[in-house]
Short mmCIF file of all heavy atoms in Angstrom, two decimals:
data_model
loop_
_atom_site.label_atom_id
_atom_site.label_comp_id
_atom_site.label_asym_id
_atom_site.label_seq_id
_atom_site.Cartn_x
_atom_site.Cartn_y
_atom_site.Cartn_z
N PRO A 1 127.46 144.74 -78.58
CA PRO A 1 126.17 144.38 -78.01
C PRO A 1 125.03 144.62 -78.87
O PRO A 1 125.10 145.34 -79.89
CB PRO A 1 126.11 145.28 -76.75
CG PRO A 1 127.54 145.73 -76.42
CD PRO A 1 128.17 145.77 -77.81
N LEU A 2 123.88 143.98 -78.56
CA LEU A 2 122.70 144.02 -79.44
C LEU A 2 122.06 145.43 -79.35
O LEU A 2 121.55 145.91 -80.36
CB LEU A 2 121.79 142.99 -78.91
CG LEU A 2 120.42 142.81 -79.76
CD1 LEU A 2 120.72 142.28 -81.19
CD2 LEU A 2 119.42 141.90 -78.99
N TYR A 3 122.02 146.01 -78.13
CA TYR A 3 121.27 147.34 -77.98
C TYR A 3 122.17 148.39 -77.44
O TYR A 3 123.24 148.07 -76.76
CB TYR A 3 120.02 147.15 -77.17
CG TYR A 3 120.24 146.46 -75.87
CD1 TYR A 3 120.68 147.24 -74.78
CD2 TYR A 3 119.98 145.10 -75.63
CE1 TYR A 3 120.99 146.65 -73.47
CE2 TYR A 3 120.23 144.52 -74.44
CZ TYR A 3 120.74 145.28 -73.35
OH TYR A 3 120.91 144.68 -72.16
N ASN A 4 121.84 149.60 -77.61
CA ASN A 4 122.54 150.71 -77.05
C ASN A 4 121.99 151.10 -75.74
O ASN A 4 120.80 150.89 -75.45
CB ASN A 4 122.39 151.97 -78.01
CG ASN A 4 123.04 151.72 -79.40
OD1 ASN A 4 123.92 150.98 -79.47
ND2 ASN A 4 122.51 152.41 -80.33
N LEU A 5 122.82 151.63 -74.90
CA LEU A 5 122.38 151.86 -73.46
C LEU A 5 121.54 153.10 -73.33
O LEU A 5 120.89 153.29 -72.28
CB LEU A 5 123.67 152.13 -72.57
CG LEU A 5 124.47 150.85 -72.37
CD1 LEU A 5 125.78 151.20 -71.58
CD2 LEU A 5 123.72 149.82 -71.67
N ASP A 6 121.47 154.00 -74.36
CA ASP A 6 120.65 155.11 -74.21
C ASP A 6 119.22 154.89 -74.66
O ASP A 6 118.30 155.75 -74.62
CB ASP A 6 121.14 156.30 -75.12
CG ASP A 6 121.37 155.90 -76.58
OD1 ASP A 6 121.19 154.75 -76.87
OD2 ASP A 6 121.64 156.80 -77.34
N LEU A 7 118.87 153.61 -74.99
CA LEU A 7 117.53 153.21 -75.27
C LEU A 7 116.70 153.16 -73.87
O LEU A 7 117.24 152.95 -72.86
CB LEU A 7 117.43 151.92 -75.97
CG LEU A 7 117.97 151.75 -77.42
CD1 LEU A 7 117.81 150.39 -77.88
CD2 LEU A 7 117.40 152.77 -78.32
N THR A 8 115.37 153.31 -74.01
CA THR A 8 114.54 153.16 -72.78
C THR A 8 114.46 151.69 -72.48
O THR A 8 114.77 150.77 -73.24
CB THR A 8 113.14 153.72 -73.05
OG1 THR A 8 112.50 152.97 -74.02
CG2 THR A 8 113.14 155.14 -73.40
N ILE A 9 113.97 151.41 -71.24
CA ILE A 9 113.81 149.97 -70.86
C ILE A 9 112.90 149.23 -71.82
O ILE A 9 113.17 148.12 -72.28
CB ILE A 9 113.25 149.87 -69.41
CG1 ILE A 9 114.24 150.50 -68.44
CG2 ILE A 9 112.98 148.37 -69.05
CD1 ILE A 9 113.74 150.56 -67.06
N GLN A 10 111.83 149.92 -72.19
CA GLN A 10 110.88 149.34 -73.07
C GLN A 10 111.46 149.00 -74.46
O GLN A 10 111.26 147.92 -75.01
CB GLN A 10 109.65 150.28 -73.36
CG GLN A 10 108.83 150.44 -72.06
CD GLN A 10 109.17 151.71 -71.27
OE1 GLN A 10 110.32 152.03 -71.14
NE2 GLN A 10 108.09 152.45 -70.95
N GLU A 11 112.32 149.93 -74.94
CA GLU A 11 112.94 149.83 -76.29
C GLU A 11 113.97 148.58 -76.16
O GLU A 11 114.07 147.82 -77.17
CB GLU A 11 113.69 151.07 -76.72
CG GLU A 11 112.64 152.20 -77.04
CD GLU A 11 113.31 153.51 -77.22
OE1 GLU A 11 114.39 153.73 -76.67
OE2 GLU A 11 112.83 154.40 -78.00
N LYS A 12 114.67 148.50 -75.11
CA LYS A 12 115.64 147.46 -74.94
C LYS A 12 114.86 146.05 -74.98
O LYS A 12 115.32 145.07 -75.68
CB LYS A 12 116.39 147.58 -73.68
CG LYS A 12 117.43 148.70 -73.73
CD LYS A 12 118.10 148.87 -72.31
CE LYS A 12 118.95 150.07 -72.34
NZ LYS A 12 119.44 150.48 -70.93
N ILE A 13 113.84 146.03 -74.21
CA ILE A 13 113.02 144.72 -74.15
C ILE A 13 112.49 144.46 -75.48
O ILE A 13 112.51 143.24 -75.99
CB ILE A 13 111.85 144.88 -73.10
CG1 ILE A 13 112.47 144.96 -71.69
CG2 ILE A 13 110.87 143.67 -73.24
CD1 ILE A 13 111.43 145.34 -70.59
N GLU A 14 111.97 145.35 -76.26
CA GLU A 14 111.35 145.26 -77.56
C GLU A 14 112.45 144.67 -78.53
O GLU A 14 112.19 143.73 -79.29
CB GLU A 14 110.70 146.46 -78.04
CG GLU A 14 109.34 146.75 -77.38
CD GLU A 14 108.81 148.02 -77.79
OE1 GLU A 14 109.58 148.88 -78.39
OE2 GLU A 14 107.67 148.32 -77.55
N LYS A 15 113.60 145.15 -78.44
CA LYS A 15 114.79 144.81 -79.33
C LYS A 15 115.12 143.35 -79.14
O LYS A 15 115.34 142.53 -80.02
CB LYS A 15 115.93 145.78 -79.16
CG LYS A 15 116.93 145.63 -80.24
CD LYS A 15 118.03 146.74 -80.26
CE LYS A 15 118.89 146.66 -81.45
NZ LYS A 15 118.34 146.92 -82.79
N ILE A 16 115.22 143.06 -77.83
CA ILE A 16 115.62 141.62 -77.45
C ILE A 16 114.49 140.64 -77.90
O ILE A 16 114.77 139.64 -78.57
CB ILE A 16 115.80 141.34 -75.97
CG1 ILE A 16 117.07 142.19 -75.65
CG2 ILE A 16 115.99 140.03 -75.60
CD1 ILE A 16 117.30 142.41 -74.08
N ALA A 17 113.22 141.07 -77.66
CA ALA A 17 112.12 140.23 -77.95
C ALA A 17 111.99 139.97 -79.46
O ALA A 17 111.71 138.74 -80.00
CB ALA A 17 110.75 140.84 -77.43
N LYS A 18 112.23 141.00 -80.28
CA LYS A 18 112.12 140.86 -81.72
C LYS A 18 113.23 140.16 -82.33
O LYS A 18 113.07 139.27 -83.16
CB LYS A 18 111.91 142.22 -82.38
CG LYS A 18 110.70 142.94 -82.08
CD LYS A 18 110.55 144.30 -82.74
CE LYS A 18 109.18 145.00 -82.43
NZ LYS A 18 109.16 146.36 -82.99
N GLU A 19 114.43 140.52 -82.00
CA GLU A 19 115.70 140.03 -82.67
C GLU A 19 116.17 138.69 -82.09
O GLU A 19 116.75 137.94 -82.85
CB GLU A 19 116.79 141.05 -82.54
CG GLU A 19 116.41 142.38 -83.28
CD GLU A 19 117.64 143.27 -83.74
OE1 GLU A 19 118.71 142.51 -83.89
OE2 GLU A 19 117.56 144.35 -83.81
N ILE A 20 115.99 138.39 -80.90
CA ILE A 20 116.35 137.20 -80.22
C ILE A 20 115.37 136.06 -80.14
O ILE A 20 115.52 134.96 -80.47
CB ILE A 20 117.02 137.36 -78.89
CG1 ILE A 20 118.20 138.41 -79.00
CG2 ILE A 20 117.56 136.05 -78.33
CD1 ILE A 20 119.38 137.99 -79.78
N TYR A 21 114.13 136.59 -79.80
CA TYR A 21 113.06 135.58 -79.62
C TYR A 21 112.12 135.53 -80.84
O TYR A 21 111.22 134.69 -80.89
CB TYR A 21 112.21 135.86 -78.34
CG TYR A 21 113.05 135.66 -77.12
CD1 TYR A 21 113.76 136.66 -76.49
CD2 TYR A 21 113.04 134.38 -76.54
CE1 TYR A 21 114.50 136.45 -75.43
CE2 TYR A 21 113.83 134.11 -75.32
CZ TYR A 21 114.51 135.21 -74.76
OH TYR A 21 115.29 134.93 -73.65
N GLY A 22 112.19 136.44 -81.80
CA GLY A 22 111.36 136.34 -82.96
C GLY A 22 109.98 136.90 -82.70
O GLY A 22 109.06 136.58 -83.54
N ALA A 23 109.80 137.73 -81.76
CA ALA A 23 108.45 138.30 -81.42
C ALA A 23 108.08 139.35 -82.44
O ALA A 23 109.05 140.03 -83.01
CB ALA A 23 108.40 138.84 -79.99
N ASP A 24 106.86 139.53 -82.66
CA ASP A 24 106.33 140.70 -83.56
C ASP A 24 106.39 142.04 -82.80
O ASP A 24 106.50 143.10 -83.43
CB ASP A 24 104.93 140.42 -83.99
CG ASP A 24 104.86 139.19 -84.99
OD1 ASP A 24 105.85 138.95 -85.74
OD2 ASP A 24 103.92 138.48 -85.00
N GLY A 25 106.26 141.99 -81.47
CA GLY A 25 106.19 143.13 -80.66
C GLY A 25 105.97 142.85 -79.24
O GLY A 25 105.89 141.59 -78.92
#
């Protein structure tokens, strides 16, 4: 999977936004 489950909700959202959608933040 892309992210680990021990990340916070915010961290998971940020990882998806940056790596999948190409967002800066």
Side-chain angles (χ1 to χ4, degrees):
L2 183 70
Y3 53 80
N4 299 332
L5 291 175
D6 56 353
L7 297 180
T8 65
I9 297 173
Q10 293 97 314
E11 289 171 334
K12 292 173 184 174
I13 292 172
E14 285 174 344
K15 193 168 184 68
I16 294 169
K18 289 179 180 179
E19 297 203 28
I20 303 297
Y21 291 91
D24 294 326

